[in-house]
Amino acid sequence: MEIREELKAFMNDKEISLTAVARALGLSATTMSLYVAGKYPGKTLEIDQAVKSFMARQNEKIKAPNIQVKFVPTFISRKVFEVARICHLDGEI
C-alpha cells in the first residue's frame, strides 16, 4: 500500500484531521492536502519519511500504558517552587 493511502486509512481509523497531521509534521495544511491528493509539486521523499515516523509514533502512543504518576512534594521541589514564586513576583528570572 502506498504511504498516502496508509495515511488516509490511518486518519480515518484514528479520527485525526489533515490539519492535525500537518501541524504535527510542521507542515502547512495546504502542503499536506496536496501531498495526500498526489498533487504536491516538490519532492515527497522527506514527507513520506515524516508521515511514516508520525504514524509509528501515534501507534506507539496508543499501545503505551497510560500511567498516572502522583506528584510528591519534596524538600527540593518546595525550594524550586519558592524560587519560581519569587521570580514571578519580581518579574525576573
Side-chain angles (χ1 to χ4, degrees):
M1 183 186 297
E2 189 179 331
I3 188 68
R4 286 185 203 93
E5 297 304 318
E6 288 181 40
L7 178 60
K8 288 178 189 177
F10 181 84
M11 290 185 333
N12 284 335
D13 185 45
K14 307 295 186 223
E15 297 180 359
I16 300 173
S17 70
L18 187 66
T19 304
V21 173
R23 190 176 314 118
L25 297 178
L27 301 170
S28 71
T30 304
T31 299
M32 281 307 297
S33 180
L34 290 170
Y35 170 79
V36 169
K39 297 178 182 178
Y40 184 71
K43 295 181 182 178
T44 61
L45 184 60
E46 289 181 16
I47 299 175
D48 290 342
Q49 292 300 322
V51 167
K52 286 178 188 177
S53 295
F54 169 75
M55 290 190 300
R57 281 192 313 273
Q58 292 302 311
N59 285 327
E60 201 171 316
K61 282 182 185 179
I62 292 167
K63 292 177 186 175
N66 188 6
I67 299 171
Q68 298 291 330
V69 178
K70 188 175 179 180
F71 178 76
V72 179
T74 63
F75 174 76
I76 300 295
S77 69
R78 286 190 291 273
K79 289 294 181 187
V80 168
F81 283 116
E82 179 63 20
V83 169
R85 186 183 71 75
I86 292 168
C87 292
H88 179 72
L89 291 174
D90 290 344
E92 294 179 0
I93 294 207

